[in-house]
Amino acid sequence: MTNVTTAAADPTEPGTPAPTRQARGEQTRQLILETALRLFRERGYAETTMRAIAKEAGVAVGNAYYYFDSKEHLIQGFYDRNQDEMRVASVRVLADEKEFAARLRGVMHVGIDVNGPYHSFAATFFKYAAEPSSPLSPFSSASSPARDASIAIFRDVLDGSTVKLDPELRKELPELLWLGWMGVILFWVYDKSPDQRRTRRLIDGAVPLIDRMVSLSRLRVLRPALRQILALIESVRRDD
Amino acid sequence: MTNVTTAAADPTEPGTPAPTRQARGEQTRQLILETALRLFRERGYAETTMRAIAKEAGVAVGNAYYYFDSKEHLIQGFYDRNQDEMRVASVRVLADEKEFAARLRGVMHVGIDVNGPYHSFAATFFKYAAEPSSPLSPFSSASSPARDASIAIFRDVLDGSTVKLDPELRKELPELLWLGWMGVILFWVYDKSPDQRRTRRLIDGAVPLIDRMVSLSRLRVLRPALRQILALIESVRRDD
DNA sequence: CGCCTTTCTTGAACGTGTTCAACTATGTCG
DNA sequence: CGACATAGTTGAACACGTTCAAGAAAGGCG
């Protein structure tokens, strides 16, 4: 992309089917986002400057800020894309398997598969997601659609399985599994082992334990303990 | 971890205890650190510029960089100070109490007490600690002295108590408790309830559960499950 | 067509964290 | 003492993310 052209002064040709005004804007938006994500992948997040993104996309730097509030906001595009990829891949896994443990394990491995290629990239921008005030935080209200979608996957893991468990626990479990998944992601971000094998081992080791505990939730002897745990969750969730 | 260490080329002093040059440098270092932490508290981290710190301390901006590699590194001072404050306050709590659950609960509440005044400040710089490559990360090798000191507190919580538990678990528990404490801190950072009451409730609710599980670790029936958990930990810890 | 509004685009300018070559102060040694 | 080395200090300069006043392009409307 030789950048000698006067990008702005280029009049639209009278013969071409003119795109609508909105479509043109959306086109620029996509161009900037694609360029940014490509450069992030090629050079890393910190090493990619807004000037470089603008230059590579053939627009002015201010134009990027017309579509994205900040450099951080460009990450959201990556975020959404991966989220969706995990959802799609999960469907395939869940279609073939009816046992709870296998379903849970499958979904988690799929999640790591999907994110794997971006491990080093994810580690660098993880700090932005960690800031409580950031809209990128998985706990932020801005992320609540993505969060709900993710929890829905785990609800599907549970509801599509043959496992029997305490009804009270069943209500809470999808969110708890999502929370556990966030823990796995946290571990994964810090995992420096080749191909993040330790994270795989964590999943393979933790899933049977979770499966066991979920099954035991129906035992009458453990009822008081379960109640205590559920009460703790309820108490902590309370927002005062 | 008071780092009064001298430079590399350390000439053996001929007997005169007058390290005026070093003392002067250390004095400047402290001046910059104190000024920085004060401004962080007064204005917030992001709102405090390096220029403001330098000006307020009466030095050139480059001088701050002679003593601290970056603005982030100034946070380490805060970090160390609070760590030490928690350690000291823990000693008082642990002197009065012999029961495991009460000791654990006491130490955790002390930790929240100590950090309480800096909650909003902590939330803003938390992102720097979250970045895996950052020396501020609790899992980084640079933090290993602080980490070891923190784990030592939990070892004291355990060893000074009357609780009986499986010997294998006893070996691992201090580190596990520290990990749990990191989880509590994570929760606390995101806790927006007044005075972080939800974090208090989390501690009060989780400690009895931990206490119960620790005590049950001696039961022969649960031996296989315990082994499984310990094997998981061992497997995940393995660094390949 | 001419005029207006809205959408889109521009690039200079600002404040920031950080670097660095130059300089000063201080102690060391012949 | 005088030269030298080391520790400490300076502030201009750099690259960066971000802002903003100004303007261009596109469509609507008489």
Side-chain angles (χ1 to χ4, degrees), chain A residues 105 108-114 116 187 191 195-205:
Chain A
R105 183 178 176 280
M108 286 187 168
H109 275 287
V110 154
I112 299 299
D113 289 342
V114 166
F187 187 91
D191 187 356
D195 293 327
Q196 289 78 52
R197 285 183 216 156
R198 293 168 67 205
T199 303
R200 305 283 186 174
R201 288 204 295 266
L202 173 63
I203 293 171
D204 293 345

Side-chain angles (χ1 to χ4, degrees), chain B residues 20-21 49-51 65 71:
Chain B
T20 46
R21 188 151 55 151
T49 68
M50 290 300 283
R51 284 168 180 79
Y65 282 93
K71 190 182 173 187

Side-chain angles (χ1 to χ4, degrees), chain B residues 8-30:
Chain B
D10 182 62
T12 4
E13 295 170 23
T16 349
T20 46
R21 188 151 55 151
Q22 282 172 18
R24 261 177 64 91
E26 190 58 28
Q27 203 174 322
T28 308
R29 182 195 180 85
Q30 288 302 325

